[in-house]
Amino acid sequence: MIYIKNLEDDSYLKTYKESLRARGSDESVLEKVLMLNQARKEKTHSIEMKKNEQKKLSAVIGQKKKSGEDAEAEMNSVQSMKSEIKALEEDFETTRSELDDLLMQLPNKIHESVPEGRSDKDNRVERAHGEVPQFSFKPQPHYEIAEKLGIVDFERASKVSGARFSFLMGAGARLERAVANFMLDLHTEQNGYKEVLPPYIVNTESMYGTGQFPKFQEDVFHLEGLPYYLIPTAEAPMTNYFRGETLNESDLPQRFAAYSSCFRSEAGSYGKDTKGLIRQHQFEKVELMTFVHPDQSYEEHDRLTNNAEEVLKRLELHYRVSTLCSGDISFGAAKCYDLEVWLPGEDGYREISSCSNFEDFQARRVNTRFKPKGGGKPRYVHTLNGSGLAIGRTVIAIIENYQQEDGSIKVPDVLQKYLGASIIR
RNA sequence: GGAGAGGUGGCAGAGCGGUUGAAUGCACCGGUCUUGAAAACCGGCGGGCCUUCGCGGGUCUCGUGAGUUCGAAUCUCACCCUCUCCGCCA
């Protein structure tokens, strides 16, 4: 049961409707939800009244039996109440499950600072770092460079696994590992995150908790015949980490840097980015995930985004930051910044991180709350996450931005100690 | 994979089929006492949903789900999880 309380608040409802419109989503779902919620309340009430009657009568029976009296009449009337209640409950259950299904289809309310728009063309560029690098030769795409250097093998990967898989070989594999270590060290030693290696498989319930389901059921790998899924991102296990728990306010914020492989079926993206490492079924990522006090989530959103940006800054890669517009922002996010890195081989920008504030959208689904310091009812935490960064795409950016005319790759300064080399040739 | 034990409130730990949301202890919060603190004493102390302007009332919740019963934390079944021993394995 999610979201009901908010939707009963008139002013919230008003802004929520505006938000739905800005997203371009179906408003009729909301109308149905409001109707069903009303029905749900009425049905709950009548069931509870009946149950109360029944309980009282049962107590009478208990008394009578104890004192050896006959309770035949009472027992008969309880019997008939029971069937009445059963019918009411079945009816209620229909309403409730219908309502639940619809509630899962309602997207998060977007934040007021999110620009209106329909597609990624309407996203608002907030800032850029560095400048588009100039080359004295024509820069090659990463897969050309990498294949020539023998640090990636797509052909054998397609034989062994299929399309959208790769073998990283030698310095390629090591570069991937170096980048992962560099990011994790930065986030744990300087940015205050706790390092996590989460499970790569989660159960059905966890997939609903992050808001991946039911909408994106197609995009994940399902283990046949089992209620298990390969994680499309570490966001899945991490958002569920405190599922069903009530934390203390003093426990907040909780900041995690989770390193994991990610698995995506990429159904529906056939023909897109078929070359190279851009869109693989399996890739590595360091995911930043935080649980914070609701009053601090927007401050935290900037912090987290800055932490992700710092990786690119230290690697001296040109990138820009945009706020996703209302039509482009994901289902569960209230606000989202995309970090796009410059790829000379493509002569364009590529998303390398997506930093979202979910406010309490996910927290409601996973039921993660905290007890306020001064006492009072538990409140939902706010959750945020962002790639810090996608490792495979970072490797691509390094290959393309640090390529030399002779086909070698210069190693960025900060990675040299991890790689034990200053050039890959 | 085989054999056994167990899952009760923040923790520890009782619980006979009958008014038990659940004894007791600890922790926590408020108060008395104290210069202050401790100790002692008194009181309070889970969450969801429905209802109420509020006080309050109702209902659900003792791993999860179904069932037996007028009535289930207590009985039955299935599932999940934890622990111990054996086997296997990185």
Side-chain angles (χ1 to χ4, degrees), chain A residues 337-386:
Chain A
Y337 297 118
D338 265 9
L339 271 52
E340 295 170 298
V341 70
W342 178 260
L343 296 183
E346 290 192 1
D347 197 33
Y349 292 96
R350 263 298 175 171
E351 179 188 333
I352 197 164
S353 172
S354 195
C355 303
S356 306
N357 184 354
F358 293 90
E359 295 190 1
D360 63 5
F361 183 83
Q362 293 179 327
R364 285 173 184 280
R365 290 167 187 239
V366 297
N367 193 21
T368 299
R369 296 174 297 169
F370 71 95
K371 258 195 164 23
K373 262 189 194 119
K377 291 271 168 200
R379 299 176 60 189
Y380 288 105
V381 300
H382 278 193
T383 62
L384 303 98
N385 65 51

Side-chain angles (χ1 to χ4, degrees), chain A residues 37-248:
Chain A
N37 188 38
Q38 196 50 42
R40 176 194 130 250
K41 287 178 160 191
E42 284 159 13
K43 289 175 184 179
T44 303
H45 193 65
S46 61
I47 287 174
E48 288 184 1
M49 305 254 284
K50 264 277 170 270
K51 279 196 171 176
N52 182 236
E53 263 182 74
Q54 191 208 336
K55 278 181 88 163
K56 280 183 179 154
L57 206 51
S58 284
V60 171
I61 294 169
Q63 296 277 13
K64 287 200 165 184
K65 289 220 164 178
K66 232 177 202 173
S67 57
E69 285 176 67
D70 174 69
E72 197 62 33
E74 284 84 354
M75 280 168 74
N76 283 336
S77 61
V78 166
Q79 204 62 264
S80 72
M81 277 180 197
K82 274 177 72 176
S83 55
E84 229 176 302
I85 289 171
K86 196 171 179 188
L88 285 171
E89 276 182 333
E90 273 165 17
D91 177 47
F92 172 80
E93 194 48 40
T94 311
T95 305
R96 197 199 56 79
S97 72
E98 207 178 321
L99 178 58
D100 264 5
D101 286 350
L102 290 175
L103 281 170
M104 293 300 268
Q105 292 171 33
L106 288 179
N108 200 357
K109 189 175 88 151
I110 53 179
H111 190 254
E112 59 200 16
S113 64
V114 169
E116 286 239 15
R118 292 191 171 174
S119 73
D120 56 358
K121 294 194 177 52
D122 301 316
N123 294 343
R124 184 175 67 214
V125 176
E126 303 290 346
R127 58 182 173 274
H129 178 265
E131 282 168 21
V132 176
Q134 301 301 315
F135 287 80
S136 59
F137 56 93
K138 187 178 185 320
Q140 302 296 306
H142 71 279
Y143 45 87
E144 302 260 346
I145 304 163
E147 282 197 303
K148 271 183 205 144
L149 286 170
I151 59 174
V152 66
D153 189 336
F154 290 113
E155 264 185 46
R156 291 196 176 90
S158 75
K159 170 181 69 182
V160 173
S161 299
R164 296 195 192 286
F165 284 99
S166 60
F167 281 96
L168 288 180
M169 308 296 292
R174 182 139 187 204
L175 179 59
E176 178 98 2
R177 175 158 60 92
V179 168
N181 284 341
F182 163 64
M183 289 178 187
L184 286 167
D185 287 350
L186 175 67
H187 294 312
T188 55
E189 288 165 16
Q190 311 208 14
N191 294 336
Y193 293 82
K194 176 178 278 189
E195 182 169 344
V196 183
L197 200 146
Y200 291 2
I201 294 174
V202 297
N203 56 32
T204 312
E205 214 181 340
S206 294
M207 292 303 288
Y208 277 99
T210 60
Q212 312 273 355
F213 277 13
K215 257 198 138 171
F216 303 110
Q217 209 139 5
E218 305 295 301
D219 296 332
V220 300
F221 285 108
H222 180 203
L223 300 196
E224 193 175 353
L226 299 168
Y228 289 140
Y229 300 84
L230 294 182
I231 58 171
T233 157
E235 173 190 342
M238 292 322 293
T239 304
N240 284 279
Y241 186 69
F242 292 121
R243 185 166 77 208
E245 297 187 38
T246 304
L247 308 172
N248 290 316

